[in-house]
Amino acid sequence: MGASADNGLKIVVVGGFGVGKTTLVRSVSEIRPLNTEETMTQAGEAVDDIRQVRGKTATTVAFDFGRITLDARNVLYLFGAPGQERFWFLWDRLFSGTLGAVVLVDTRRIGDSWYAIDRLEHHGTPFIVACNDFGGPAHAPGAVREALDLDPDVPLVDCDARSRESSKQVLITLVQHIKQHYTGRSAPAALPRQEFV
């Protein structure tokens, strides 16, 4: 971070187990992301339901961290939260000081997203929902919105967390939503005026 940067803006990426949070942070961060992934073992099979995330060999046990320089004065810090229920106690701490959040959804397991949405609504944190593409059948936005019982003002977008460009568009949508959310209110931090590259 340059010496002139004085606004650190925090965004959290949340969602169920294996929805692509680590992948999204990796794809868009300008630095080599810090991650706390550990190899999944047979001992964890009794705790974590891995039936629907076949092929997953590692899992986040604390958080992922990435960074994006927006301009000379603004830096975006990305925190990816762990998805397993046994780590949800960390979420409230991660939400502290957060400007907004991305709820990443695997539409094959839409119920895994309810807890994230509930916690964000409880905290009054502005958020958007991004449906990560796992190559399954496409779902109509109205059906996803209804299944998640989303407020009409919450943006719903499709994405591919592996793609830097797609992940950037998710974050741009979130920043635009945050800006609209705080219009006419006292914002917790100055919002950047430029989109990141």
Side-chain angles (χ1 to χ4, degrees):
M1 183 162 83
S4 63
D6 54 10
N7 286 322
L9 310 170
K10 179 180 177 184
I11 287 178
V12 177
V13 182
V14 294
F17 178 46
V19 297
K21 299 175 299 293
T22 298
T23 302
L24 188 143
V25 171
R26 279 183 185 157
S27 72
V28 79
S29 178
E30 69 187 18
I31 62 169
R32 180 177 174 197
L34 165 72
N35 66 57
T36 56
E37 281 200 315
E38 293 295 332
T39 302
M40 296 173 63
T41 64
Q42 287 182 337
E45 290 179 15
V47 180
D48 300 321
D49 183 1
I50 62 167
R51 290 174 294 181
Q52 295 184 348
V53 288
R54 299 275 183 223
K56 187 167 175 62
T57 59
T59 186
T60 301
V61 296
F63 62 86
D64 302 305
F65 173 78
R67 185 185 77 200
I68 301 168
T69 300
L70 300 173
D71 57 35
R73 305 208 51 169
N74 296 289
V75 176
L76 183 67
Y77 297 113
L78 298 170
F79 290 83
Q84 299 100 304
E85 185 174 349
R86 62 189 162 122
F87 296 122
W88 285 352
F89 71 93
L90 295 169
W91 287 18
D92 288 337
R93 292 286 189 178
L94 281 175
F95 292 163
S96 178
T98 298
L99 193 58
V102 173
V103 178
L104 203 55
V105 173
D106 177 349
T107 55
R108 301 169 303 177
R109 299 178 288 126
I110 208 155
D112 292 354
S113 307
W114 292 335
Y115 181 78
I117 291 170
D118 177 68
R119 295 314 303 156
L120 291 165
E121 289 177 341
H122 172 78
H123 284 275
T125 304
F127 67 93
I128 68 165
V129 173
C131 297
N132 195 8
D133 179 11
F134 283 92
H139 295 275
V144 174
R145 189 172 288 283
E146 183 179 346
L148 291 173
D149 193 25
L150 286 182
D151 185 286
D153 295 334
V154 174
L156 174 66
V157 298
D158 290 321
C159 76
D160 181 344
R162 300 166 298 179
S163 162
R164 178 174 172 78
E165 189 58 39
S166 181
S167 297
K168 278 173 41 178
Q169 289 306 313
V170 168
L171 297 177
I172 289 168
T173 301
L174 175 61
V175 170
Q176 290 169 341
H177 178 60
I178 292 167
K179 190 172 183 179
Q180 289 175 345
H181 179 81
Y182 287 111
T183 298
R185 300 186 201 177
S186 176
L191 290 173
R193 294 183 181 176
Q194 299 177 339
E195 295 177 353
F196 55 92
V197 184

